[in-house]
Amino acid sequence: MAVELPGTFMQRMEDMLGSDYEQFAESYQETPYGGIRANTLKIPVEELLALSPFTLAPIPWCPSGFYTEAGARPGKHPYYHAGLYYIQEPSAMAPVELLGVQPGDRVLDLCAAPGGKSTQIAAKLQGEGLLVSNDLHPDRTKALAKNLELYGVRNGIVLNESPGRIAAAFPGFFDRILIDAPCSGEGMFRKDEDMVKQWEPETPLKYAAMQREILASAAAALKPGGTLVYSTCTFATEENEGIIGEFLASHPEFSLIPVGGTGSFAPGLGGLPGAARLWPHKVKGEGHFMAVLRHDGSSASPEEADAGLKLNGRDKALPVSPRNKEGKAQASAKAAAARADAGRGGKGRRAAGKSGGAAPGRQSQELGEEAALAAYSVFAEEQLGWQPAGYPVLFGDHLYLSPLPKAALDGLKTIRPGWYAGHVRSGRFIPGHPLATALHSAESIRSLSLPGNSGEAVSYLKGETLSIPAERLSVRSGSSPKGYVLVCIDGYSAGWGKWQDGMLKNEYPAGWRWT
């Protein structure tokens, strides 16, 4: 598919590439490459390769990434809806690989929507540490939050904030920060014709001003000894080597970690050969620029990194706990009391508060939170048999399990404060879809596995009720088959169902269904 490119852009690229220019220009006659990346939060790479209905070829710079064959439609398979892989442009997988994320790290993805790189980071964290995913555009955070939920991220927070406000709230806090900066998008011209239409000769300079501010804010949020990766999908040196050169000149505490000229990566241009570039005429992927920066100050202690946080001593994380009959009895009593209170008009009191009546006092609010947590505790005991960890954060009747105390997010526009567990209705806890998608089959007392190549899997994803005999359910010893069931596709969680008398009521949310 030929792409008609702006003459001013092509002249600049000829000046930049010299003898490589003809090969570069010819690459725009080729079809862009497609790729998927295994979601190792759910499935090991080897298992995905064994299950995959598509022919896959490895992407050199990403061990969990694979090229898909022409004509493949990975978004039209039940495995996609089970979150087993993320559909991602191959070159876009490179920046996170250079970030060097380790389990337990505190990571900030500053320009994260729609979430491809955040899900890649989350897979590397393996449920340990913290991922804060942010995007400045409110509409884009919806897709970001949904992708983190689909791919089973338990330790993620989604913000809709300016980089400066995040740096003020988390000074010197993060081990690793990714800036996939807003840019003129020249590297995506072959893949996205809209970016060609939007491009003008002055576009790179417009984005460069924005990129300087983002990078300066990120530097303030990175702890001494931490790593920052700056990436763009553009060719313009004003947005790439120029930005990094200016930053290093004004931030002597940072140094460039050399990457360029190794493997698939070409060196940076001008006086910055340690940066890295992916050229569409040299690799099977679109254009990308990357620079790895290290804060050379001495590593901060956990206490120093936490010093700027607004912590509240009353916040307590929910510990992972085994089954406890005494604790269950206490929680059941609290939940029953909450249901009785709702029957006596609790809902009316809440409605009065919304319409401008007196807000409940702190004691009433705390009792409401205690009852909600008690209802959740009953659910966790009866449906999971264990207690997921996290700081409980309640927004109304909705419960999240956060990797940070609630007070740490005070004053920030928070889209998702953590793993969404569900909501309380009339004293009973109703589990949320994201709770299911992040569970493994063994973590639920009841589960059902539907074959990925069956009509049943598609029927479930369409929201249909299924006829399922009790013997097909996997039920933990001593438990009844009646209740919430974790519905899996070939053993990998996809959502909830509710089983009774041979029928599985479908709990798959309408906005997620197969269309």
Side-chain angles (χ1 to χ4, degrees):
M1 179 184 69
V3 179
E4 187 174 345
L5 299 172
T8 306
F9 166 75
M10 294 304 283
Q11 182 59 59
R12 194 193 73 203
M13 295 308 298
E14 184 173 7
D15 295 340
M16 180 185 294
L17 292 170
S19 60
D20 276 0
Y21 171 73
E22 290 300 327
Q23 189 181 359
F24 170 81
E26 289 172 5
S27 72
Y28 283 83
Q29 309 303 311
E30 301 172 3
T31 301
Y33 293 90
I36 63 172
R37 179 176 42 75
N39 176 22
T40 54
L41 277 177
K42 284 198 163 189
I43 185 171
V45 171
E46 298 75 17
E47 289 186 22
L48 179 63
L49 289 173
L51 281 176
S52 175
F54 321 111
T55 300
L56 300 176
I59 294 172
W61 48 85
C62 180
S64 57
F66 299 90
Y67 294 105
T68 51
E69 59 190 325
R73 302 179 71 191
K76 294 293 183 181
H77 195 282
Y79 291 158
Y80 170 78
H81 294 269
L84 299 194
Y85 51 78
Y86 190 95
I87 301 171
Q88 192 170 21
E89 194 281 311
S91 292
M93 303 179 193
V96 172
E97 295 302 321
L98 296 181
L99 193 57
V101 175
Q102 299 295 319
D105 282 346
R106 295 164 167 176
V107 186
L108 171 62
D109 186 356
L110 200 47
C111 311
K117 294 177 177 67
S118 275
T119 58
Q120 190 175 358
I121 291 168
K124 291 183 178 297
L125 287 173
Q126 286 296 301
E128 301 177 28
L130 166 70
L131 170 61
V132 175
S133 302
N134 177 73
D135 204 273
L136 186 59
H137 301 283
D139 290 343
R140 289 169 58 83
T141 59
K142 297 174 184 176
L144 172 59
K146 184 175 180 179
N147 278 324
L148 290 175
E149 292 169 352
L150 173 61
Y151 291 93
V153 179
R154 302 185 186 189
N155 57 332
I157 291 170
V158 178
L159 300 180
N160 170 216
E161 271 297 354
S162 68
R165 284 176 55 82
I166 292 175
F170 296 97
F173 178 76
F174 294 98
D175 299 290
R176 302 180 195 277
I177 297 177
L178 175 67
I179 304 173
D180 188 38
C183 68
S184 57
E186 296 171 356
M188 293 291 128
F189 281 178
R190 181 170 64 175
K191 191 172 183 291
D192 189 345
E193 289 189 22
D194 286 340
M195 303 204 86
V196 179
K197 296 173 184 176
Q198 295 168 11
W199 187 91
E200 295 177 353
E202 61 272 16
T203 301
L205 289 177
K206 180 184 74 173
Y207 278 101
M210 188 187 312
Q211 292 154 357
R212 289 187 190 94
E213 293 182 9
I214 294 173
L215 189 52
S217 295
L222 187 69
K223 76 177 188 181
T227 301
L228 186 155
V229 169
Y230 173 90
S231 68
T232 72
C233 56
T234 191
F235 301 116
T237 55
E238 298 96 321
E239 301 178 69
N240 296 330
E241 290 89 352
I243 290 292
I244 298 302
E246 287 180 19
F247 175 81
L248 291 172
S250 60
H251 292 77
E253 71 276 19
F254 279 82
S255 61
L256 180 70
I257 305 302
V259 176
T262 60
S264 301
F265 301 113
L269 301 179
L272 212 68
R277 282 181 175 257
L278 290 171
W279 294 100
H281 60 291
K282 292 186 176 181
V283 300
K284 295 178 179 179
E286 307 311 302
H288 246 70
F289 170 87
M290 292 151 288
V292 182
L293 303 172
R294 180 73 46 81
H295 192 311
D296 292 327
S298 58
S299 297
S301 68
E303 292 77 15
E304 290 171 328
D306 290 345
L309 280 182
K310 298 165 285 187
L311 298 177
N312 185 332
R314 293 184 301 139
D315 285 326
K316 291 184 179 179
L318 296 173
V320 177
S321 61
R323 307 182 79 171
N324 183 315
K325 291 183 179 178
E326 182 180 355
K328 178 185 176 183
Q330 293 172 351
S332 295
K334 291 178 182 176
R339 289 194 290 272
D341 180 64
R344 289 192 298 268
K347 291 182 180 178
R349 286 197 299 275
R350 285 196 297 272
K354 288 182 180 178
S355 64
R362 178 177 294 276
Q363 184 178 7
S364 173
Q365 181 180 346
E366 289 178 353
L367 287 173
E369 291 184 357
E370 186 178 0
L373 291 175
Y376 165 70
S377 182
V378 170
F379 168 84
E381 175 64 27
E382 293 180 347
Q383 305 294 341
L384 305 180
W386 64 290
Q387 176 72 68
Y391 292 92
V393 176
L394 277 160
F395 284 152
D397 293 333
H398 295 270
L399 174 66
Y400 297 80
L401 302 176
S402 179
L404 285 178
K406 184 177 181 179
L409 301 173
D410 283 351
L412 295 173
K413 295 177 186 174
T414 305
I415 304 301
R416 290 286 187 276
W419 184 13
Y420 180 62
H423 70 279
V424 179
R425 182 190 301 156
S426 301
R428 286 186 170 84
F429 189 78
I430 312 299
H433 185 64
L435 180 65
T437 55
L439 292 173
H440 299 285
S441 59
E443 293 179 313
S444 177
I445 284 177
R446 299 167 200 83
S447 64
L448 168 69
S449 185
L450 304 174
N453 59 359
S454 71
E456 274 187 332
V458 175
S459 293
Y460 171 74
L461 294 170
K462 287 182 175 180
E464 298 171 6
T465 298
L466 300 179
S467 177
I468 302 290
E471 55 267 25
R472 285 189 60 186
L473 300 179
S474 176
V475 182
R476 201 171 295 169
S477 178
S479 298
S480 165
K482 180 181 176 181
Y484 283 100
V485 174
L486 182 67
V487 181
C488 304
I489 296 174
D490 284 337
Y492 301 98
S493 61
W496 293 114
K498 207 171 184 181
W499 189 90
Q500 183 176 353
D501 298 331
M503 301 302 293
L504 185 77
K505 179 185 175 184
N506 201 309
E507 299 287 328
Y508 201 76
W512 293 60
R513 290 176 187 169
W514 182 296
T515 56

